[in-house]
Amino acid sequence: MEMSHRGKEFLSIIQKAEADLRALLNIPENYEVLFLQGGATTQFAAIPLNLVEPEDTVDYLVTGSWGDKAFKEAQKYSKPMVVWSRKAEKYTKIPFFDGLEQIHAENKSLYNTPPCFGIYMCGLVFDDLLAQGGLEEVERKNKKKADLLYNAIDEKKK
C-alpha cells in the first residue's frame, strides 16, 4: 500500500470498491458511500485534540451509546455541548439531517487520508461477492449449506 491516496492507482481502487458496494447493497445514487477510518474510543479523543482548542465549545448529536462515549471523552479536551440526544428513549430516533453539508461526501471520501488498505481489502471482498452472484446468491448458498448441516444433525438424533 505504498501509494498515494490521491494517485490514479488508488483512485481506481476506491472507485471500484464504491461501485461494487453500491451494486451489492443496491445503494441509490442519492446516497453517498464514505470510507472513513475509525478506531472507536481512540478517535473520540483524536477529534477534539485535532480540531478544536481546549476552550472551544463544540456541539454533539448523541444518537447512541458510542456518541455518548464520544461526548464524555471530548469533555477532557474541549467544552462539548449535547445539542440533541434521545438517550432517555434508548436511542430509538435520530434527527433529520436535511440542510447539513457532510464535506467528506463532496470529496468522495478523499477529504482526509482514507483507510486505504481497508478500502482495498473491502474492494476485494465486494468484487468476490459480486462474482459469486451478489448477496442474495451468497445467502442462498449459505442457507443450503446450513440446511445440510442441520439436517445431518437432526438425522443423527433419530
Side-chain angles (χ1 to χ4, degrees):
M1 292 303 305
E2 293 292 324
M3 64 178 77
S4 169
H5 70 282
R6 304 246 188 251
K8 64 182 178 181
E9 296 87 2
F10 184 72
L11 191 59
S12 66
I13 289 171
I14 196 169
Q15 288 171 342
K16 182 164 181 2
E18 178 180 341
D20 288 350
L21 183 61
R22 282 184 181 282
L24 280 169
L25 299 178
N26 296 316
I27 299 172
E29 288 300 317
N30 63 327
Y31 283 80
E32 296 292 338
V33 172
L34 300 177
F35 296 105
L36 304 173
Q37 299 206 68
T41 44
T42 302
Q43 291 300 313
F44 298 155
I47 291 170
L49 283 170
N50 285 288
L51 298 179
V52 299
E53 297 295 326
E55 65 278 356
D56 287 348
T57 300
V58 293
D59 294 338
Y60 274 74
L61 301 173
V62 180
T63 60
S65 60
W66 287 103
D68 192 47
K69 290 177 183 180
F71 171 75
K72 289 175 182 166
E73 186 68 15
Q75 289 175 319
K76 298 175 185 175
Y77 311 105
S78 62
K79 295 178 181 168
M81 292 178 45
V82 174
V83 295
W84 190 93
S85 175
R86 289 299 181 263
K87 185 175 185 175
E89 297 162 351
K90 297 189 176 17
Y91 306 115
T92 56
K93 297 178 182 174
I94 60 171
F96 289 101
F97 292 102
D98 294 345
L100 292 180
E101 294 183 27
Q102 313 259 38
I103 195 162
H104 287 283
E106 287 175 18
N107 290 280
K108 301 292 184 195
S109 298
L110 297 171
Y111 178 69
N112 292 325
T113 304
C116 298
F117 187 71
I119 293 168
Y120 172 70
M121 295 305 294
C122 287
L124 293 176
V125 171
F126 304 154
D127 187 54
D128 180 62
L129 290 169
L130 287 168
Q132 291 184 59
L135 293 179
E136 282 119 15
E137 181 60 20
V138 171
E139 179 184 29
R140 187 193 67 73
K141 289 177 189 175
N142 286 340
K143 185 170 179 356
K144 185 177 178 181
K145 289 187 280 185
D147 287 345
L148 284 171
L149 176 64
Y150 290 118
N151 287 338
I153 291 170
D154 290 343
E155 289 298 316
K156 184 77 171 168
K157 292 179 183 176
K158 292 181 182 178

